[in-house]
Amino acid sequence: MTPTITAFERSPDRGRGLARDMRVRWALEEAGQPYEVRLVTFGEMKEPAHRALHPFGQIPTYEDGDLVLFESGAIVFHIAERHAGLLPDNANARARALTWMFAALSTVEPPIVELGTAALLERDKAWYAERLPILEGRVRARLDELSSRLGEADWLDGAFSAGDLLMVTVLRRLAGTGIVETYPNLSAYVARGEARPAYRRAFEAQLAVFTGAAPPADA
Ligand code: GTB
């Protein structure tokens, strides 16, 4: 059965691949799993029909037969468990890859989201100029640690895994801030992820939604 995911009908990032359907699309492409996309408006996401799939009225969702999932991390894990290439076979290496998945979503992503939310919604507040360096400092603290751990390695723990896939998508959310660029090894890490053919296919497919172009034939 071909799974169906949901994505923004019109993503606020104008197709830069920053919304969380991107990580699901990328995982599906790495897995070689064809998929359908149902585009939803902001209004439709809050309707009962969509809330039946996603209690918080968000994207992405994932439907495959009777199975309905939400939360991008859980969806990526589900895909990774069922297809080769996103999780190692060795039990300990698999557990470590899972650890990096959680680290991306629960340790590195939250300060990045805080920074992005402030820039988007709090720019006009009197305290914004004072708060911004605090938020940036929290992001940099995490990136200092991540950069130290990655060192000169290509990926976080041996071969590319779902942990790298999530971490790269999380770091990409800093696009435009100039922060990742101050860490040459993290910058190269993100570029390595973006250079993967599966990433390119996923990126082009989500961009095509924004530009109205026909999606790539193999997306
Ligand atoms: N924890 C959930 C997950 O990982 O799946 C979070 C899902 C989530 O935040 N979804 C967002 C959403 O549906 C889209 S990705 N928002 C609408 C709403 O809550 O009403 C967040 C996002 C949106 C837009 C950009 N952008 O334009 O750059 C980047 C990220």
Side-chain angles (χ1 to χ4, degrees):
M1 194 155 219
T2 304
T4 299
I5 66 166
T6 50
F8 285 136
E9 184 190 56
R10 195 163 182 83
S11 184
D13 72 351
R14 305 168 67 86
R16 288 190 300 149
L18 301 178
R20 288 182 176 92
D21 59 296
M22 178 62 201
R23 50 186 70 164
V24 173
R25 291 174 184 269
W26 184 7
L28 287 162
E29 291 289 352
E30 291 283 351
Q33 168 66 57
Y35 61 99
E36 310 267 345
V37 182
R38 190 169 61 252
L39 301 176
V40 289
T41 63
F42 276 87
E44 284 164 351
M45 280 190 291
K46 308 304 173 194
E47 294 290 331
H50 187 75
R51 281 196 192 274
L53 308 177
H54 195 310
F56 307 114
Q58 295 183 314
I59 59 101
T61 59
Y62 173 100
E63 294 157 77
D64 191 6
D66 290 344
L67 179 67
V68 178
L69 297 175
F70 58 96
E71 283 299 330
S72 58
I75 298 169
V76 168
F77 179 58
H78 176 75
I79 296 162
E81 266 198 309
R82 277 155 189 77
H83 299 273
L86 284 167
L87 285 174
D89 291 334
N90 174 273
N92 283 359
R94 204 175 174 89
R96 290 197 303 274
L98 188 58
T99 300
W100 279 114
M101 292 178 71
F102 277 89
L105 301 185
S106 65
T107 300
V108 180
E109 188 165 46
I112 292 176
V113 169
E114 273 294 293
L115 178 64
T117 305
L120 192 66
L121 303 177
E122 297 164 2
R123 205 174 269 276
D124 58 340
K125 304 287 185 219
W127 37 261
Y128 179 70
E130 212 175 326
R131 181 160 151 80
L132 189 61
I134 297 171
L135 296 177
E136 280 189 7
R138 288 184 190 145
V139 169
R140 285 190 180 280
R142 285 293 177 242
L143 297 203
D144 285 350
E145 292 157 339
L146 184 65
S147 171
S148 292
R149 172 54 79 101
L150 179 67
E152 295 311 310
D154 278 356
W155 305 115
L156 289 165
D157 192 319
F160 174 82
S161 79
D164 295 296
L165 185 151
L166 290 178
M167 193 66 83
V168 167
T169 59
V170 164
L171 295 177
R172 285 195 75 253
R173 296 197 61 172
L174 289 166
T177 66
I179 295 177
V180 174
E181 289 75 1
T182 61
Y183 299 85
N185 68 336
L186 294 183
S187 221
Y189 173 66
V190 171
R192 258 191 303 282
E194 291 174 337
R196 292 179 72 84
Y199 176 94
R200 297 302 330 156
R201 289 194 296 273
F203 184 89
E204 292 303 328
Q206 64 79 41
L207 179 62
V209 173
F210 187 80
T211 61
D218 55 355

